[in-house]
Amino acid sequence: GRAGAMERWTGRVALVTGASVGIGAAVARALVQHGMKVVGCARSVDKIEKLAAECQSAGYPGTLIPYKCDLSNEEEILSMFSAIKTLHQGVDVCINNAGLARPEPLLSGKTEGWRTMIDVRLLGFISSSFLPPHFNVMAVSICTREAYQSMKERNIDDGHIININSMNGHSVVPQSVVHFYSATKYAVTALTEGLRQELREAKTHIRATCISPGLVETGFAFKLHDNDPERAAATYESIRCLKAEDMANAVIYVLSAPPHVQIGDIQMRPTEQIS
């Protein structure tokens, strides 16, 4: 069964970005439940510390290690990987829980909003401290590269890199506020497949997967429609959405597939979702 298939990950190290809330927190918890050492990073770690305490008092076999890292800053990402190397040898599983949307249409959007979604250097433009410091292309690429280098230098041949993508990475919906976001998620789709090909060329058995959910009940819509909380709330109330736990279950499924099986992409929507 799944539990047995997860046994080979016991005691091994997973990095989960954006682990303080939503999907990242649920994934971190699930991996700790399966006995992994999980480094959970975010810009503010108080929520991760609380989650770590919860995991400990629940008696989960793994551990959650909170790490403060602003993913908009490459130096901080590099020093995080170097700290993981010093303290825990390296990363065996990397979960890029990247997702940031700004309501910026293509015909009238603000350049900064676009740039924030695609690049890591300009998050200073965002005033709201509620926004998570992860976004859709550069942070994923930097974390992926560093995780691979960490595996390579230790001859880890069975590692796994999982990108949390979106159904918006596979189809463009007629909602102008998500068009640019969708473009960055199409990039994640291409990056994941490019990564799979490069891992093959490198003759490794390291696997690359993306998981593409439709509507998940997290704080995401409140960030997208940050000036219209009623619209955000309505997004989640109109149908029965996916839960962060559903995403965590998908991650466990991906990791527990036998070594000769690579799940390329899991596309999952709420049953009631229309588009």
Side-chain angles (χ1 to χ4, degrees):
R2 286 285 152 230
M6 279 300 288
E7 267 166 27
R8 70 187 186 86
W9 294 113
T10 304
R12 297 184 67 182
V13 179
L15 171 65
V16 179
T17 63
S20 57
V21 290
I23 294 167
V27 168
R29 177 191 276 112
L31 297 179
V32 172
Q33 276 177 296
H34 283 89
M36 293 193 78
K37 271 186 210 164
V38 180
V39 176
C41 80
R43 252 190 327 199
S44 57
V45 289
D46 47 337
K47 287 189 179 116
I48 308 177
E49 281 161 357
K50 190 166 173 277
L51 182 59
E54 281 168 27
C55 288
Q56 205 175 0
S57 62
Y60 296 158
T63 47
L64 177 55
I65 300 130
Y67 195 95
K68 185 175 164 51
C69 180
D70 181 350
L71 294 174
S72 65
N73 182 329
E74 185 176 9
E75 283 71 35
E76 283 197 30
I77 300 177
L78 299 181
S79 78
M80 171 173 69
F81 274 92
S82 128
I84 294 171
K85 180 180 178 173
T86 305
L87 299 168
H88 314 287
Q89 280 73 60
V91 171
D92 302 307
V93 170
C94 179
I95 316 250
N96 291 310
N97 171 42
L100 169 67
R102 306 297 301 128
E104 308 290 358
L106 298 180
L107 298 183
S108 60
K110 291 188 189 65
T111 309
E112 304 90 277
W114 291 342
R115 203 174 272 136
T116 300
M117 282 188 264
I118 209 147
D119 193 4
V120 299
R121 285 170 305 211
L122 282 141
L123 275 167
F125 280 113
I126 298 183
S127 53
S128 165
S129 59
F130 185 56
L131 278 167
H134 36 181
F135 25 68
N136 309 330
V137 178
M138 290 299 286
V140 171
S141 301
I142 296 167
C143 289
T144 295
R145 179 189 69 205
E146 297 307 313
Y148 170 69
Q149 294 300 332
S150 170
M151 293 171 202
K152 187 182 166 189
E153 68 189 21
R154 291 171 301 130
N155 297 312
I156 297 294
D157 194 48
D158 65 341
H160 212 131
I161 294 162
I162 299 176
N163 293 330
I164 305 297
N165 194 357
S166 166
M167 286 303 295
N168 287 310
H170 302 280
S171 64
V172 179
V173 297
Q175 270 187 301
S176 62
V177 292
V178 295
H179 286 161
F180 196 91
Y181 170 74
S182 190
T184 66
K185 287 302 196 179
Y186 266 76
V188 173
T189 301
L191 286 169
T192 308
E193 172 57 14
L195 175 61
R196 187 192 70 79
Q197 293 178 17
E198 289 189 30
L199 290 167
R200 287 298 66 66
E201 282 164 28
K203 298 194 166 38
T204 76
H205 294 86
I206 297 166
R207 294 178 284 181
T209 301
C210 67
I211 300 177
S212 304
L215 269 179
V216 185
E217 201 172 307
T218 62
F220 187 83
F222 289 93
K223 295 190 270 289
L224 178 59
H225 307 296
D226 54 5
N227 50 2
D228 192 352
E230 277 159 27
R231 181 176 176 186
T235 307
Y236 295 135
E237 284 158 14
S238 56
I239 62 168
R240 190 171 170 197
C241 296
L242 299 175
K243 301 266 186 281
E245 288 68 34
D246 300 320
M247 293 295 293
N249 290 337
V251 168
I252 298 302
Y253 171 71
V254 164
L255 287 174
S256 58
H260 68 286
V261 176
Q262 172 168 259
I263 313 291
D265 189 8
I266 293 181
Q267 298 188 8
M268 49 196 288
R269 292 184 179 95
T271 307
E272 297 176 357
Q273 185 169 329
I274 295 165
S275 63

